[in-house]
Amino acid sequence: MALAPLPGAPLGAIRLSGLRVSGEPFAVRVSRLGLGMVEEAADVLQLCGR
């Protein structure tokens, strides 16, 4: 798993990559405001927001 600040992003923005969900690759970006965006997920995963 890698946790890295996004280049040129405001302080606090991060990207989580190298994650696995049900054995499938998964990556997410979180803004400094706490807003998350899925950047990589297998087609078989059903994602829902709350």
Side-chain angles (χ1 to χ4, degrees):
M1 176 175 76
L3 172 62
L6 295 170
L11 182 63
I14 60 170
R15 182 174 190 269
L16 296 157
S17 61
L19 305 171
R20 309 285 293 171
V21 175
S22 295
E24 300 292 336
F26 188 78
V28 65
R29 178 175 29 132
V30 181
S31 76
R32 67 180 180 86
L33 300 174
L35 302 172
M37 176 180 221
V38 174
E39 291 193 333
E40 179 183 11
D43 292 337
V44 298
L45 295 177
Q46 294 183 2
L47 305 173
C48 61
R50 293 199 188 257

